[in-house]
Amino acid sequence: MTSTKRSFRGNVLGLLAGQITRLALQAGYFIILARMLGATGYGAFATAIALCALVTPFSSLGTNTIMLRNVSRDVSSASREWARALTYTLLGGAALSGVLVLMADIIAPPELSRFAILQIALAELIGLKLVELTGAVWQGQDRSRPLIVLPTLLNFIRLVAAGAMFLWVGQTTLEVWATVYVLATLPLGIGVAIHTSAKLGPGGRALRLRVVEVKEGLLFSVAMSSQNVYNDIDKAMLARLDSVGAAGVYSAAFRIIDMAYAPIRSISAAAYPLYFREGEGGLASALRLTRRIAPAVLIVGGLAAIGSFFLAPVAPMLLGNDYDSAIVVIQVLAPLVILRGLTFLGADTLTGCGRQGFRTGAQVTVAIFNVGINLVLIPPMGISGAILSTLLCEFILASGLWSYIWVVSNENRRQKPQELAAQEVSGR
């Protein structure tokens, strides 16, 4: 067993242990929040989170992914890459928070106030991003502990805040919770960023970006934003085109499916730096890594989907009677766990071997299609339209990515004998 395999398996086990702990915390936090806000309040909160997710990738201009890639390949670049990613995250997060507030009347339902949007945006676009950025810079140096501990700590703080508030006041409004939410998130992000900056030291010219890096950063940002569009836009559109209550039920069901996906997310997080290293050898090299981890992804995904289907009736017992209709939503969305696993394998294979352009193009195309089909399906079908759109778009994206990989792999195999023959002729 190579040191790389041992490191990968160790990272997966560590991240999985962190995910299990985080899942327990998230489950408690989610149950309390759903009961405290009710379906309507939770729907408005989920809408605000979804709006933040759409713009979050642009807050750092892709420098977070560039940082992880560069640090994974050259550890000595950590302080410089960190300083640059940190600068863009802070500036971009503040700017985009303001943009969301200014556009509130256009993009948000009436139940969501400007002040609530501002506070939730600051928590998500700055507080949460700083926590993720800190984990990423250490992950690039094969030190995955911060990537495990910090999100777990953040979820613990949010759980304590939600639990204390529920015990104190019972049900409350979104505006009050938004204030508690930002106070539970932003200080931790700022604190870990200051600590990491002190550990890594000065980074030199933090704002300097080469033209090629700007292009790469935009590709990463657009790809992630597109992914967030087809993951989250349905929640915002459901609240706008149907009702905030329907968005609350759908968002609660989607959250349960997302928690079921957590083990695969652990594998994805551990494999991501390896894809950049293996991918330097081209698509064939990246595919070898994919073949090693694909069985685990498919087995875990299948078990999670089956578990979600059969345990769905438990949801209203935990969340309250407002969420009775979530049972069917969870059961129909259960296959999404497997589809998302297939998408991650194909997408990261392409990113690792330098074919980010196709991945971005595919994700943008599916995101645009997702918005269009939601406009058609949600008004007459409500939640059913959002479910159909989500499953269809994930299937199209996974199929498109793997079809492209199959075509390119076949072309490479055909070209190889021709290149060898040409080398033999030239050698003579």
Side-chain angles (χ1 to χ4, degrees), residues 71-349:
V71 173
S72 297
R73 294 176 178 176
D74 179 13
V75 175
S76 65
S77 68
S79 60
R80 181 180 68 253
E81 296 293 335
W82 162 260
R84 182 171 61 182
L86 176 63
T87 301
Y88 278 95
T89 297
L90 290 172
L91 294 175
L96 289 175
S97 296
V99 169
L100 287 178
V101 172
L102 292 174
M103 297 183 65
D105 292 339
I106 302 173
I107 60 177
E111 292 85 351
L112 199 52
S113 70
R114 288 173 180 265
F115 188 52
I117 291 177
L118 175 62
Q119 293 182 102
I120 294 170
L122 290 174
E124 292 291 298
L125 300 181
I126 296 181
L128 178 59
K129 285 294 291 184
L130 291 178
V131 170
E132 293 175 347
L133 195 66
T134 300
V137 73
W138 295 113
Q139 181 193 17
Q141 301 172 70
D142 278 333
R143 296 169 63 180
S144 59
R145 182 174 295 178
L147 192 67
I148 300 168
V149 172
L150 292 178
T152 302
L153 177 59
L154 178 59
N155 280 292
F156 176 74
I157 294 172
R158 289 175 173 176
L159 173 61
V160 170
M165 190 173 181
F166 185 61
L167 291 174
W168 183 29
V169 299
Q171 288 196 319
T172 189
T173 64
L174 177 59
E175 283 68 24
V176 175
W177 168 245
T179 301
V180 176
Y181 187 73
V182 70
L183 292 176
T185 306
L186 194 56
L188 177 63
I190 294 173
V192 296
I194 292 173
H195 177 74
T196 301
S197 297
K199 281 279 189 181
L200 294 177
R205 297 182 179 180
L207 289 176
R208 185 177 179 183
L209 271 175
R210 293 176 295 161
V211 174
V212 64
E213 289 176 321
V214 173
K215 293 179 179 178
E216 289 175 337
L218 286 174
L219 279 176
F220 288 132
S221 297
V222 171
M224 183 58 67
S225 180
S226 302
Q227 179 177 321
N228 290 345
V229 165
Y230 59 76
N231 279 338
D232 295 305
I233 194 65
D234 46 4
K235 303 175 185 68
M237 295 182 73
L238 195 58
R240 191 81 181 180
L241 299 175
D242 193 301
S243 70
V244 178
V249 171
Y250 177 78
S251 298
F254 198 93
R255 181 67 178 270
I256 291 170
I257 295 299
D258 189 62
M259 288 192 288
Y261 182 75
I264 297 179
R265 191 177 291 112
S266 299
I267 299 173
S268 171
Y272 199 47
L274 295 181
Y275 269 114
F276 286 125
R277 296 171 195 167
E278 296 290 332
E280 287 188 282
L283 178 59
S285 180
L287 274 174
R288 282 195 292 271
L289 175 60
T290 301
R291 292 189 189 99
R292 291 203 299 268
I293 65 177
V297 169
L298 296 176
I299 291 171
V300 169
L303 292 174
I306 293 170
S308 299
F309 182 89
F310 285 106
L311 292 176
V314 178
M317 302 178 194
L318 298 174
L319 304 180
N321 295 332
D322 284 354
Y323 300 91
D324 284 340
S325 55
I327 296 174
V328 176
V329 180
I330 295 168
Q331 290 176 331
V332 178
L333 283 176
L336 188 63
V337 180
I338 301 174
L339 288 174
R340 288 176 71 179
L342 291 171
T343 298
F344 130 65
L345 289 170
D348 283 5
T349 297

Side-chain angles (χ1 to χ4, degrees), residues 18-31 155 159 259:
Q19 283 283 3
I20 292 172
T21 304
R22 202 180 312 164
L23 272 177
L25 296 172
Q26 284 181 343
Y29 164 69
F30 168 53
I31 292 169
N155 280 292
L159 173 61
M259 288 192 288

Side-chain angles (χ1 to χ4, degrees), residues 415-428:
Q415 289 174 359
K416 206 164 188 180
Q418 296 174 0
E419 291 173 358
L420 290 173
Q423 289 174 3
E424 289 179 4
V425 171
S426 61
R428 293 171 187 167

